[in-house]
Amino acid sequence: MTGGNRHDVTQLTPLLDVITRIRGLVGRPRHRPRRLFADRGYDKYRRILRARGITPKITRRGVPHGSGLGKMRWVVERTFAWLHQVKRLRTRYEIRADPHLGLLQLARSIICLRRLRTSS
């Protein structure tokens, strides 16, 4: 976790380094995802992703909108909208990470509880 004023793009390679084994089919577990869906801000990381064996699904800069990646990114954006319903998570006020992580876990629990109530 970084400070609230750090750009997300700077944390792509450290995030890829800490991905745990991905369980799935029989055989050797994967250490990295097959594909990475991202927006135009991650365009300059294509070579790094390919060198790691990850297929980048990133919209190119200068290309008009409508690349089709919105179908995949919608899930992430919806989740951020759910988390931002907890007003304390919209802007990070805490200096230390542990209170922020505690609030994040509480928000995730509330979201799951709401989803369970509406599904039954």
Side-chain angles (χ1 to χ4, degrees):
M1 178 176 293
T2 62
N5 56 353
R6 295 283 308 269
H7 199 279
D8 297 339
V9 175
T10 62
Q11 299 303 309
L12 177 64
T13 51
L15 177 66
L16 292 174
D17 291 337
V18 298
I19 292 177
T20 58
R21 293 183 183 267
I22 301 169
R23 298 189 63 178
L25 301 175
V26 177
R28 198 166 146 208
R30 294 183 55 84
H31 287 280
R32 63 182 79 78
R34 289 189 181 102
R35 295 179 302 273
L36 181 103
F37 295 92
D39 58 5
R40 294 160 203 241
Y42 295 86
D43 192 38
K44 62 182 178 180
Y45 287 92
R46 288 178 188 276
R47 286 191 200 125
I48 295 170
L49 292 170
R50 284 195 183 104
R52 292 174 179 245
I54 301 171
T55 305
K57 300 287 184 180
I58 303 172
T59 307
R60 297 206 182 270
R61 292 182 188 263
V63 176
H65 292 281
S67 64
L69 291 179
K71 295 175 189 172
M72 301 293 179
R73 291 187 56 227
W74 177 81
V75 176
V76 177
E77 298 297 333
R78 177 193 61 193
T79 306
F80 283 145
W82 284 342
L83 288 172
H84 287 167
Q85 287 178 354
V86 179
K87 293 180 183 178
R88 189 65 190 231
L89 290 175
R90 288 183 194 167
T91 305
R92 184 172 167 192
Y93 297 104
E94 295 82 14
I95 295 172
R96 295 189 345 243
D98 51 342
H100 186 73
L101 288 175
L103 288 170
L104 187 61
Q105 291 174 350
L106 180 62
R108 292 187 323 203
S109 301
I110 291 169
I111 290 168
C112 289
L113 179 65
R114 289 178 184 163
R115 297 287 294 169
L116 286 172
R117 283 185 181 168
T118 59
S119 67
S120 57

